[in-house]
Amino acid sequence: MKNTPKGKEKSLTVNLGDSPKIVELAGASDENLRTIAKILEIEIGHDRGSFVLKGQDTEVELAADLLKQLLGVLERGERIFPGDIGRAIKMLSGNRKVKLEDLFRDSVQVSGKRQSIAPKTLKQKDYLEAIRSHTLTFGIGPAGTGKTYLAMAMAVSALLRKDVKRVILCRPAVEAGEKLGFLPGDMAEKVNPYLRPLYDALYDMVDYDRATEMIEKGQIEVAPLAFMRGRTLSNAFIILDEAQNTTPEQMKMLLTRIGFGSTCIVTGDPTQIDLPRGQRSGLIDGVQVLRRVPEVAMIEFKDEDVVRHPLVSAIVRAYERYQVTP
């Protein structure tokens, strides 16, 4: 073998046996293999369960480990989507000791259209573990990192297990360029657009009829943050979404509503504040005030944790590089 500018060139044959999941591993028309080959800049040939990898030695070894681990995930009954391939490569590139099965094993059991939801990054796994072990967890970071979705999954799972009596989902109804007064309808109809993302996540996890029944019975409450004032929220799973648009007073108000037997998750993106100029964000304030409190977990997501379309991650990075001046 010859040496390339990147390192030593290597050819490696990986025999994965005759598992019925080999076809799924390769993907439709070998789509998964082509994705791996493109990202790692290697060549991949295969005949049933035998894979021949050619390229830089470190990349070939990573690809061999990746194929073995992905097959193990598939054999556990999990599904692998095209976007999972790139994220798996990124995780293994950063830490070769990563076990992909651990991510999928740490799934959240829900009901309806999706029986379980698994973390897709190590940071998401940390997030789930923090929620399980803390009364209050802050999930902070850019859009597309799963902050709200995973929080919703944990809330629905806790309700179905009867660990809590109700789930409370709230958001601050802050105007981002549009005025509430110009929206048609009564107050409930005016604030509904602000709460729509929470409903969307809920209906993705629980059958529509069942979710509607839970809302009608008060087991799931979706409401603006202002509706929480004066209440004590016991035996509840509380999610405050878009918390960057709370004031420090609103944040303190909600956090001091937490009662016995409750879990609270606060999510937000400090880079997308829609408060009036000069108004301090309750999320930023809360993080600074509570960072050293042992019972409070702080999970900070980065652009590499974005699990939406790859373009979203690129957009987040571009905005971080480009400082927008007022």
Side-chain angles (χ1 to χ4, degrees):
M1 290 293 174
K2 64 180 180 179
N3 291 338
T4 67
K6 289 186 177 181
K8 186 177 180 180
E9 189 174 297
K10 182 175 184 177
S11 177
L12 178 65
T13 299
V14 180
N15 193 336
L16 298 181
D18 57 357
S19 171
K21 293 293 184 178
I22 292 292
V23 173
E24 192 174 347
L25 173 64
S29 302
D30 289 349
E31 177 185 11
N32 292 343
L33 298 183
R34 289 199 304 273
T35 298
I36 296 171
K38 180 179 180 180
I39 294 175
L40 296 179
E41 298 181 358
I42 64 173
E43 297 177 11
I44 303 179
H46 78 105
D47 180 15
R48 298 182 181 177
S50 181
F51 295 79
V52 179
L53 315 177
K54 295 181 181 180
Q56 183 196 353
D57 53 359
T58 55
E59 307 292 46
V60 164
E61 291 164 4
L62 191 153
D65 186 22
L66 175 68
L67 290 172
K68 293 174 184 177
Q69 291 208 45
L70 289 178
L71 181 60
V73 169
L74 290 169
E75 289 178 336
R76 287 190 63 250
E78 303 290 349
R79 295 181 61 190
I80 294 175
F81 298 92
D84 295 333
I85 302 296
R87 287 188 287 272
I89 291 174
K90 184 181 296 185
M91 284 187 285
L92 283 174
S93 297
N95 182 357
R96 291 301 303 276
K97 295 182 179 180
V98 166
K99 299 300 180 185
L100 299 180
E101 282 192 45
D102 290 343
L103 289 178
F104 287 88
R105 187 178 295 116
D106 189 17
S107 59
V108 183
Q109 300 301 312
V110 289
S111 178
K113 289 177 283 186
R114 304 194 61 174
Q115 294 301 315
S116 66
I117 296 169
K120 294 183 178 295
T121 69
L122 293 177
K123 187 66 70 173
Q124 286 192 350
K125 180 177 171 61
D126 292 343
Y127 186 48
L128 294 182
E129 292 175 350
I131 293 171
R132 292 188 183 105
S133 58
H134 293 78
T135 298
L136 173 60
T137 300
F138 281 76
I140 309 155
T145 51
K147 305 182 301 295
T148 302
Y149 196 83
L150 288 176
M152 181 72 77
M154 292 291 283
V156 170
S157 180
L159 182 62
L160 294 175
R161 293 194 312 270
K162 301 186 186 312
D163 291 344
V164 295
K165 292 183 178 179
R166 55 184 170 160
V167 169
I168 298 173
L169 315 170
C170 60
R171 273 186 165 200
V174 173
E175 300 164 1
E178 301 83 13
K179 297 296 183 182
L180 277 173
F182 291 103
L183 293 174
D186 57 22
M187 181 52 66
E189 292 171 321
K190 287 176 185 292
V191 300
N192 190 61
Y194 294 95
L195 306 174
R196 187 76 256 165
L198 295 175
Y199 282 109
D200 290 342
L202 173 62
Y203 291 138
D204 190 49
M205 298 174 196
V206 182
D207 292 333
Y208 182 87
D209 290 341
R210 187 173 188 187
T212 301
E213 180 184 1
M214 288 177 168
I215 292 172
E216 290 175 348
K217 289 183 176 180
Q219 293 176 304
I220 296 179
E221 179 181 350
V222 185
L225 175 60
F227 287 22
M228 299 299 109
R229 190 173 297 278
R231 302 173 59 182
T232 298
L233 307 175
S234 301
N235 298 310
F237 205 110
I238 310 152
I239 300 175
L240 171 59
D241 193 33
E242 297 290 338
Q244 74 273 6
N245 289 326
T246 63
T247 65
E249 293 77 17
Q250 288 175 324
M251 177 65 74
K252 181 180 178 182
M253 178 271 291
L254 178 77
L255 297 183
T256 54
R257 301 302 98 200
I258 300 173
F260 289 104
S262 289
T263 295
C264 182
I265 307 175
V266 176
T267 70
D269 180 357
T271 69
Q272 296 192 29
I273 297 173
D274 297 316
L275 293 168
R277 187 184 300 275
Q279 173 65 67
R280 184 167 175 78
S281 167
L283 177 63
I284 294 175
D285 191 73
V287 167
Q288 292 184 353
V289 170
L290 302 173
R291 186 175 290 279
R292 298 185 184 279
V293 178
E295 295 83 3
V296 179
M298 301 282 179
I299 303 296
E300 298 185 26
F301 295 90
K302 305 297 182 182
D303 62 272
E304 58 262 28
D305 298 305
V306 171
V307 293
R308 291 182 185 169
H309 191 286
L311 178 59
V312 175
S313 184
I315 290 171
V316 171
R317 288 195 299 270
Y319 270 95
E320 287 179 346
R321 290 193 300 265
Y322 183 77
Q323 298 298 318
V324 180
T325 55

